């Protein structure tokens, strides 16, 4: 897996990928997979972005993407998100920030 993908980056660097959000804050990303399948029997997966304090010493909030992938197993759903390019992950972050800002 290329280190330009989310999974490849995490595997190569042994840490979460980090991004600067469109709101000027720093974020790290994790993959979230539903505990139970939906009515179709599929597990949904989304990205969870943790917002860090300006000093970077503690989390101060988070935003989440929409469900971006589904799989017959939690591992399949997670694997699909691991294949996202880092550019697509950054776009999902900025979309999540825009959605959250609109709801405040």
């Amino acid at each position: 897996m290329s280190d330009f993908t989310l999974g490849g980056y995490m595997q190569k660097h042994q840490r979460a990928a980090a991004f600067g959000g469109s709101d000027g804050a720093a974020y790290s990303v994790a993959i979230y997979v539903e505990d139970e399948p939906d009515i179709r029997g599929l597990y949904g997966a989304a990205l969870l972005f943790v917002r860090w304090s300006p000093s970077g010493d503690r989390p101060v909030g988070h935003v989440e993407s929409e469900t971006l992938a589904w799989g017959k197993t939690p591992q399949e759903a997670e694997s699909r998100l691991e294949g996202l390019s880092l550019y697509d992950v950054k776009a999902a972050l900025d979309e999540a920030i825009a959605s959250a800002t609109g709801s405040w």
Side-chain angles (χ1 to χ4, degrees), residues 76 86 102:
E76 182 180 7
L86 294 176

Side-chain angles (χ1 to χ4, degrees), residues 8-94:
Y9 181 93
M10 292 188 306
Q11 183 177 29
K12 179 178 180 179
H13 298 283
Q14 295 297 303
R15 65 178 178 86
F19 299 89
S22 57
D23 60 356
Y27 290 84
S28 57
V29 63
I31 296 172
Y32 171 79
V33 180
E34 294 288 339
D35 292 332
E36 299 292 328
D38 64 13
I39 60 172
R40 302 170 296 168
L42 299 176
Y43 291 84
L47 298 173
L48 175 70
F49 298 97
V50 176
R51 183 174 45 244
W52 293 92
S53 67
S55 62
D57 64 337
R58 66 191 189 323
V60 294
H62 76 279
V63 294
E64 301 172 23
S65 73
E66 299 177 356
T67 301
L68 299 174
W70 290 265
K72 293 179 183 177
T73 66
Q75 296 79 14
E76 182 180 7
E78 182 174 355
S79 178
R80 290 183 177 187
L81 286 189
E82 288 175 342
L84 285 177
S85 78
L86 294 176
Y87 299 106
D88 290 334
V89 175
K90 169 68 165 110
L93 168 60
D94 290 339

